[in-house]
Amino acid sequence: MTKQHSHQHGHDADHVHDHNHNHCIDTALATAETLCLEQGQRLTKVRRRALELIWESHRPLGAYQLLAKLAEEGFNSAPPTVYRALDFLLAAGLIHKVESMNAYLGCAHADRAHKGYFLICDECHNVMEFDYQDIHAALIAKAAKQGFELRAETIELTGLCADCKAQATDAHAVGTSA
Amino acid sequence: MTKQHSHQHGHDADHVHDHNHNHCIDTALATAETLCLEQGQRLTKVRRRALELIWESHRPLGAYQLLAKLAEEGFNSAPPTVYRALDFLLAAGLIHKVESMNAYLGCAHADRAHKGYFLICDECHNVMEFDYQDIHAALIAKAAKQGFELRAETIELTGLCADCKAQATDAHAVGTSA
DNA sequence: TTTGAGTTGTTATACCATAACAAAATTATA
DNA sequence: TATAATTTTGTTATGGTATAACAACTCAAA
Ligand SMILES: [Zn+2]
Ligand SMILES: [Zn+2]
Ligand SMILES: [Zn+2]
Ligand SMILES: [Zn+2]
């Protein structure tokens, strides 16, 4: 299990970070540049900035949220701009799409091929990416047994994260109304 | 593994059924009525007809496709009509939503609580629902280890189904161009 | 028969995503 | 360097998915 961002555990958007998130962003961007260079891909201004903005968000970011941020900075504000950037970043494995949220998330492990498996909190909407080789292998085997050739996996688990569960318990114990 | 419809293996929409699909529909509707009765839920005309139409489709059905069919039959043609019916059917466990397709599928096992796991063919777009208790247990355990309380699972696997794979192989062997 | 809960009708709007073609920038080639 | 080919971006338009808000109706219980 890998927490996507180690700071992604707050319960409200204004939660104070307990580490320098700039480090995460810098690392992700450096990886992105290396990968694009290796693969002869061009990490253009808008693609690079889109990736940064996705990383700067503490939650999966919707396409139009991202588009608005890009527009604020002088980039073209029409939808194809953002979808092209997202398509590029997805194809490069630099971000994942969370299907059940229609939102996009930076991947901290873009340098190694993998499927994105996610734990999504219903309460705080934080998302953790996790890695589970056992499940991946089991799914491939299961599919193969049906003659099905697996190409992609959408594994999105929702529920209550540890922090939100603790908070709910606390509130109950104290007898908080509502 | 349970094929959602045993006839869902054709490669084109006009594939001739090899069984009487009306039986599937009748069974599903009977189950739906029993469940609603037991739970004090009202399977109204529009809800019932929506469920039938979803079952009559050989593929997961989009909300607006369903809406059009309902409208043809004299039901109100505004979006809330269909989304209300879908919400009801989802909550009752009578259908599943395939997140990666934004489409809805009848569930043949509504009478026993379960998660909908799907195998989706990229080529023919048929969907098979499957049940995998091992994976379900593993996911719960994995989440619990993180203090995460699992509530819902979106497991959607895409790739090439056995039929489409065979067809592709045949075409190749025969030396078909393209 | 009144009351209240649940359901449906209706209008409007927000959000998500792509098609199609023109213009510009970049890279490769002559 | 000039030219051509390729990729990327700009622009306009459209299509697809989903919900908000409030009024009207239905049905069953009190
Ligand atoms: Zn990842
Ligand atoms: Zn949470
Ligand atoms: Zn099911
Ligand atoms: Zn197929």
Side-chain angles (χ1 to χ4, degrees):
Chain A
M1 169 83 56
T2 309
K3 254 197 172 176
Q4 176 70 6
H5 308 275
S6 63
H7 68 278
Q8 273 194 348
H9 56 242
H11 294 95
D12 75 74
D14 300 325
H15 182 77
V16 176
H17 299 176
D18 56 2
H19 82 294
N20 186 357
H21 187 49
N22 290 331
H23 177 65
C24 302
I25 301 176
D26 291 348
T27 304
L29 267 288
T31 302
E33 273 172 4
T34 303
L35 287 175
C36 288
L37 199 67
E38 283 173 8
Q39 295 164 22
Q41 296 294 99
R42 290 163 56 191
L43 190 64
T44 60
K45 276 183 193 173
V46 66
R47 290 168 177 175
R48 188 192 157 90
R49 189 63 188 136
L51 182 57
E52 282 177 350
L53 287 167
I54 288 171
W55 271 104
E56 284 172 12
S57 166
H58 299 159
R59 310 276 156 85
L61 202 57
Y64 279 66
Q65 291 175 274
L66 175 57
L67 182 59
K69 287 174 192 283
L70 287 170
E72 275 176 19
E73 301 183 7
F75 291 97
N76 183 17
S77 66
T81 298
V82 76
Y83 283 104
R84 283 165 178 159
L86 289 171
D87 286 348
F88 175 87
L89 297 172
L90 284 168
L94 298 169
I95 61 173
H96 295 290
K97 178 177 184 184
V98 182
E99 292 288 347
S100 58
M101 300 176 81
N102 292 316
Y104 303 84
L105 190 66
C107 174
H109 309 288
D111 51 345
R112 61 173 184 70
H114 67 287
K115 312 288 177 174
Y117 293 180
F118 303 103
L119 282 179
I120 304 163
C121 181
D122 283 331
E123 192 67 30
C124 64
H125 303 107
N126 279 329
V127 174
M128 285 184 290
E129 181 173 1
F130 70 97
D131 187 20
Y132 201 175
Q133 207 53 40
D134 290 353
I135 289 183
H136 179 59
L139 290 173
I140 288 180
K142 185 72 182 170
K145 220 175 278 182
Q146 309 299 317
F148 194 98
E149 182 186 316
L150 211 54
R151 284 180 183 159
E153 303 165 41
T154 300
I155 311 285
E156 300 175 5
L157 312 181
T158 62
L160 210 55
C161 76
D163 288 351
C164 287
K165 203 164 63 174
Q167 194 168 278
T169 308
D170 289 352
H172 200 263
V174 172
T176 304
S177 65
Chain B
M1 170 82 58
T2 308
K3 256 197 173 175
Q4 177 70 4
H5 308 274
S6 64
H7 67 277
Q8 273 193 348
H9 56 243
H11 294 95
D12 76 75
D14 301 326
H15 182 76
V16 177
H17 299 176
D18 56 2
H19 83 293
N20 184 356
H21 187 48
N22 290 329
H23 177 63
C24 301
I25 302 175
D26 291 348
T27 303
L29 267 287
T31 302
E33 273 172 4
T34 303
L35 287 175
C36 288
L37 200 66
E38 283 174 9
Q39 296 164 21
Q41 296 293 97
R42 290 163 57 191
L43 190 64
T44 61
K45 276 182 192 171
V46 67
R47 291 169 178 174
R48 188 191 157 91
R49 189 62 188 136
L51 181 57
E52 281 177 351
L53 288 166
I54 289 171
W55 270 103
E56 283 173 13
S57 166
H58 300 161
R59 309 279 155 82
L61 200 59
Y64 279 68
Q65 291 175 277
L66 175 57
L67 182 58
K69 287 173 192 282
L70 288 169
E72 275 176 19
E73 301 183 5
F75 290 98
N76 183 18
S77 67
T81 297
V82 76
Y83 282 104
R84 283 164 179 161
L86 289 170
D87 287 347
F88 175 87
L89 297 170
L90 285 168
L94 297 169
I95 61 172
H96 295 290
K97 178 177 184 185
V98 183
E99 293 288 349
S100 59
M101 299 177 80
N102 292 317
Y104 304 83
L105 190 66
C107 174
H109 309 288
D111 51 346
R112 61 171 183 72
H114 67 286
K115 313 290 177 173
Y117 294 178
F118 303 104
L119 282 178
I120 304 164
C121 181
D122 284 331
E123 192 65 31
C124 65
H125 303 108
N126 280 328
V127 174
M128 286 184 290
E129 181 174 359
F130 70 98
D131 188 19
Y132 202 173
Q133 207 53 40
D134 290 352
I135 288 183
H136 179 58
L139 290 174
I140 289 180
K142 185 72 180 169
K145 220 176 277 183
Q146 309 299 317
F148 194 97
E149 181 186 317
L150 211 55
R151 284 180 183 159
E153 303 166 42
T154 299
I155 310 287
E156 299 174 6
L157 311 181
T158 63
L160 209 55
C161 76
D163 288 352
C164 287
K165 203 163 65 173
Q167 194 169 278
T169 308
D170 289 353
H172 200 263
V174 171
T176 303
S177 65

